[in-house]
Amino acid sequence: SQQGEEDPQALSIQEGENATMNCSYKTSINNLQWYRQNSGRGLVHLILIRSNEREKHSGRLRVTLDTSKKSSSLLITASRAADTASYFCATGSDTGNQFYFGTGTSLTVIP
Amino acid sequence: KAGVTQTPRYLIKTRGQQVTLSCSPISGHRSVSWYQQTPGQGLQFLFEYFSETQRNKGNFPGRFSGRQFSNSRSEMNVSTLELGDSALYLCASSPGRTSGGDEQFFGPGTRLTVL
C-alpha cells in the first residue's frame, strides 16, 4: 500500500505547548501535503512541501521533509484549543492529483 | 470565491440500491478528486477527473464510477450498494495546473448510510 502512516495516533497537550506529529510513507513522491480535519467534516489544506524542499513554514506551522528516510514532520507551535483536530499527511505522485492519505493523528489541545 | 459544494450532505439508502453524489468545484478549477473516508480504512482515493477525463483511479470495484461535465462539476455513482459503502464521501477540487499534484480544496462531504 502506498498509504502513509502518522505517528503518534493520538496526542494530548496543554494549550501553549508545541505539538509534533510525524508521517512516514513508502514510495517516491512529488510532494507531500498536510491537512486538518475537524470532527466529521471536510479537510482543510495546511501546507504543501515539494520533494526538492526540506523545510517549509506557514504561520505557527513548520513542516520538514526527509526523502531519504521517506518521512515528514509537522510542528504546531504555541498550540491553541482551536487546533484540536485530526491531522493527515498525503503523498502525491507525478501523475496528477492522486493522493494517498495517512491514518491521521488525533490532536487534543487542553485549554 | 465560493468553496467546494457537495450535495446531498446526508443520504440513507438500502442495500442493492444505487446512489449519485454531486460535487461542484471552485470556479476555475479543472480537477476533481473523490475520496472515501471510513473509520476502518481511513481516507482512500477513488478517482480524479480532469477536463472531463478520468486521469487517475484508485483500487475500488467497478461499482464505483464517476464523470465530469464541461463546467467541471462532477458526479460519483455507486451501484448495488453494500453495507460497507457507508462512509463519508469527500470531493476535492484543484486548479489542475501541475501534473505532480496541487493543493486540494475539500468539500464538506456527503455522509452515506447504507441500511
Side-chain angles (χ1 to χ4, degrees), chain B:
Chain B
K1 279 186 178 177
V4 178
T5 58
Q6 291 186 246
T7 57
R9 293 292 311 279
Y10 301 91
L11 207 48
I12 299 175
K13 292 285 188 179
T14 56
R15 279 181 298 175
Q17 287 187 309
Q18 76 165 22
V19 66
T20 299
L21 311 182
S22 181
C23 172
S24 292
I26 291 171
S27 177
H29 284 191
R30 296 166 64 192
S31 168
V32 174
S33 299
W34 289 90
Y35 294 85
Q36 180 196 65
Q37 186 176 29
T38 59
Q41 298 296 320
L43 272 153
Q44 292 188 287
F45 173 78
L46 280 155
F47 28 66
E48 180 209 7
Y49 284 87
F50 177 78
S51 293
E52 301 179 65
T53 302
Q54 187 180 85
R55 184 161 68 171
N56 287 290
K57 188 177 187 303
N59 296 322
F60 277 80
R63 300 185 298 107
F64 292 82
S65 63
R67 59 178 175 169
Q68 186 180 35
F69 302 94
S70 58
N71 62 357
S72 292
R73 189 177 70 84
S74 177
E75 287 183 347
M76 190 193 102
N77 186 75
V78 187
S79 63
T80 320
L81 284 166
E82 301 177 358
L83 294 179
D85 296 333
S86 294
L88 181 67
Y89 289 88
L90 293 162
C91 158
S93 86
S94 63
R97 287 186 299 259
T98 65
S99 62
D102 300 306
E103 171 184 346
Q104 295 188 95
F105 297 83
F106 281 81
T110 293
R111 173 75 63 185
L112 172 65
T113 301
V114 182
L115 302 176

Side-chain angles (χ1 to χ4, degrees), chain A:
Chain A
S1 167
Q2 294 171 270
Q3 193 175 37
E5 286 188 15
E6 284 91 344
D7 171 61
Q9 288 190 336
L11 181 61
S12 184
I13 59 174
Q14 295 287 331
E15 200 166 34
E17 293 181 336
N18 295 342
T20 300
M21 49 205 90
N22 304 295
C23 167
S24 59
Y25 56 92
K26 297 178 181 177
T27 64
S28 61
I29 62 171
N30 177 284
N31 67 75
L32 185 144
Q33 304 187 29
W34 285 90
Y35 290 83
R36 183 186 76 227
Q37 184 180 35
N38 291 90
S39 181
R41 303 180 69 178
L43 281 76
V44 174
H45 181 268
L46 296 175
I47 199 162
L48 180 154
I49 186 166
R50 300 210 178 270
S51 59
N52 60 354
E53 298 175 306
R54 293 295 168 257
E55 188 170 312
K56 208 161 181 182
H57 297 252
S58 177
R60 294 184 296 113
L61 307 179
R62 172 179 169 252
V63 166
T64 62
L65 178 64
D66 186 336
T67 52
S68 67
K69 295 181 179 178
K70 291 187 168 58
S71 68
S72 173
S73 68
L74 170 67
L75 168 68
I76 304 174
T77 60
S79 63
R80 305 166 182 168
D83 294 329
T84 295
S86 291
Y87 292 81
F88 296 88
C89 68
T91 55
S93 66
D94 290 326
T95 58
N97 292 312
Q98 181 172 9
F99 288 97
Y100 293 92
F101 280 80
T103 50
T105 291
S106 177
L107 172 66
T108 301
V109 181
I110 302 167

